[in-house]
Amino acid sequence: MEDTSLTDQLKRLGLSEKEIDTYLSILEHGEAKASTIADDAGVSKRYVYSVSEKLEDRGFVEVNDHAVPTLIRANPPEEVVERLTTELRSLGPDLASRWNRVTDDRREFEIIKAQPTVVKRIREFLQSAEDEVTLSIPAKVLPDVAAELRETVDRNVLVFLLLTGDESTSVDLSGDVPPASVVRVWTERAPVLFTVDTQLGLFAPYELLARSNSGQQAVAIAQEQLVPILSGSFFGNYWPIAEEAHVADPEPLPTDYQSFRHAVFAATRYRNQDQPIVATVDARPVHEDADPRELRGRVVDVRQSLVDPPNSRFAVENALVVEVDGERVTVGGPGAFLEDYEARAVTLEHAD
């Protein structure tokens, strides 16, 4: 992973730029004195001591203050990943205790203890998908949901699938109908994260699906304010680390997109094939109080990390750069604040 991407990931974990510089310096040295780290990171020795305490609390480093002078050692990356994964696992019970309410047609929160029930919920949720699915599961579980995934892809739903665990690199994706639009593999035992259309979600420890009788629990969510947290974690923390194994061809153009990420995916695929495209966007100005307007122009750039090669400034950035009347404007999805416009709908077509 490039330094810029690693820095973005660490920022999402709540570290400031100076804290990141300090931690990366510790990583590069493995173990070093505070003065050495301070010189390398361009900060004071006192700051190194202060930040090291915070990093030690998060499990990133170990401070040996019994040595003279004090030595600061970076913990092994696998221990850091396990610590962060444990922190994410704690999200389920906290969310359940705050949001365990019942709606008329389904529970907003459901605690699931059995592996078969988790698989059943994934299948049920997939059947209701209309725009986008994100799913991280142990590779050994793929056969249990592969048929539903293929049916979902066949409905032109954009499916991002992350296969995890030791078996992930041996999965055969050469079939006529792959189980997802984009598949990535990662040999680590990442948590199970699943979202459908920002409306439905599910979180579970890896072990709950990887082996029976794990004694652990999953949380199914039907709460549109919370489901984006899971998809943000999926794209921000796990997707960039995994290796791309399959990318589907985009659908024929012209096509209308209600899902902005789907439009970004299609635009990226066509641009990667050197096929010029034009976007028509129902857009709302972000930085001024003005009525929505229609933007139309050639797509001259796409910022994304959905497929290789990534070129976004941070992991969850998805934006189109459109040339409108000789001026380049940026368009983001719902909730856009960095871009010039927020897209409400996008139509892509081939340029003349």
Side-chain angles (χ1 to χ4, degrees):
M1 186 183 301
E2 297 180 356
D3 285 349
T4 54
S5 180
L6 178 58
T7 297
D8 291 337
Q9 297 302 311
L10 292 172
K11 284 181 179 178
R12 291 184 59 81
L13 296 174
L15 300 183
S16 68
E17 290 188 6
K18 288 177 66 177
E19 290 170 341
I20 292 171
D21 289 341
T22 304
Y23 175 54
L24 293 181
S25 176
I26 298 171
L27 269 179
E28 290 172 359
H29 287 285
E31 182 178 66
K33 299 181 295 183
S35 58
T36 301
I37 297 167
D39 291 340
D40 190 41
V43 297
S44 68
K45 187 164 68 171
R46 177 178 297 181
Y47 181 81
V48 171
Y49 283 123
S50 175
V51 170
S52 296
E53 291 180 1
K54 176 179 178 180
L55 293 174
E56 186 175 40
D57 290 340
R58 295 291 303 274
F60 288 94
V61 305
E62 180 178 321
V63 178
N64 183 5
D65 51 13
H66 296 294
V68 180
T70 297
L71 294 175
I72 303 167
R73 179 179 64 84
N75 284 330
E78 59 272 17
E79 292 183 9
V80 176
V81 171
E82 179 63 27
R83 176 72 174 265
L84 295 175
T85 300
T86 300
E87 290 181 2
L88 182 58
R89 286 172 181 162
S90 68
L91 176 68
D94 288 343
L95 291 174
S97 65
R98 293 173 182 268
W99 295 91
N100 194 11
R101 298 198 297 266
V102 179
T103 60
D104 292 336
D105 55 349
R106 60 158 60 92
R107 291 182 61 86
E108 291 187 341
F109 257 86
E110 178 187 9
I111 305 299
I112 304 173
K113 300 180 180 180
Q115 182 197 66
T117 306
V118 174
V119 173
K120 179 181 178 180
R121 289 293 177 271
I122 292 175
R123 290 170 173 166
E124 291 175 350
F125 287 2
L126 285 172
Q127 292 172 4
S128 68
E130 297 180 354
D131 293 318
E132 178 186 285
V133 167
T134 67
L135 176 60
S136 166
I137 55 169
K140 64 172 63 177
V141 182
L142 178 60
D144 296 333
V145 296
E148 287 78 10
L149 283 168
R150 291 188 173 93
E151 290 172 1
T152 303
V153 172
D154 193 52
R155 298 197 306 272
N156 200 32
V157 175
L158 186 61
V159 178
F160 296 95
L161 176 64
L162 173 58
L163 299 176
T164 61
D166 295 335
E167 301 85 358
S168 61
T169 56
S170 60
V171 174
D172 183 8
L173 300 172
S174 60
D176 293 337
V177 183
S181 312
V182 188
V183 182
R184 290 193 174 187
V185 296
W186 192 27
T187 55
E188 296 294 332
R189 298 183 174 189
V192 175
L193 296 173
F194 176 45
T195 66
V196 172
D197 299 340
T198 73
Q199 301 295 316
L200 300 171
L202 185 143
F203 168 77
Y206 175 92
E207 292 77 10
L208 179 56
L209 283 188
R211 56 188 178 89
S212 59
N213 302 319
S214 68
Q216 299 183 342
Q217 298 178 341
V219 180
I221 305 170
Q223 234 289 351
E224 61 182 353
Q225 286 81 16
L226 296 178
V227 172
I229 296 175
L230 296 182
S231 59
S233 180
F234 177 90
F235 284 115
N237 296 327
Y238 301 101
W239 191 253
I241 302 174
E243 178 182 352
E244 189 171 274
H246 165 77
V247 182
D249 291 328
E251 58 278 347
L253 299 182
T255 298
D256 299 326
Y257 299 93
Q258 296 301 316
S259 166
F260 184 72
R261 194 145 41 209
H262 203 157
V264 168
F265 168 78
T268 301
R269 295 291 288 142
Y270 276 110
R271 282 183 54 79
N272 286 349
Q273 298 170 8
D274 295 324
Q275 297 189 40
I277 55 174
V278 170
T280 303
V281 186
D282 179 6
R284 179 188 66 84
V286 171
H287 304 295
E288 57 181 290
D289 186 12
D291 293 333
R293 56 170 292 197
E294 181 180 277
L295 304 175
R296 179 176 173 80
R298 187 184 293 258
V299 178
V300 295
D301 195 10
V302 183
R303 298 173 185 165
Q304 58 83 41
S305 56
L306 304 175
V307 299
D308 290 339
N311 66 343
S312 59
R313 294 168 295 180
F314 50 93
V316 294
E317 180 184 28
N318 294 287
L320 300 176
V321 182
V322 183
E323 190 173 83
V324 181
D325 298 328
E327 178 186 1
R328 292 190 174 193
V329 298
T330 56
V331 181
F337 63 94
L338 293 176
E339 293 79 18
D340 301 316
Y341 291 90
E342 175 189 63
R344 305 195 299 182
V346 179
T347 299
L348 297 181
E349 57 190 291
H350 293 288
D352 294 334

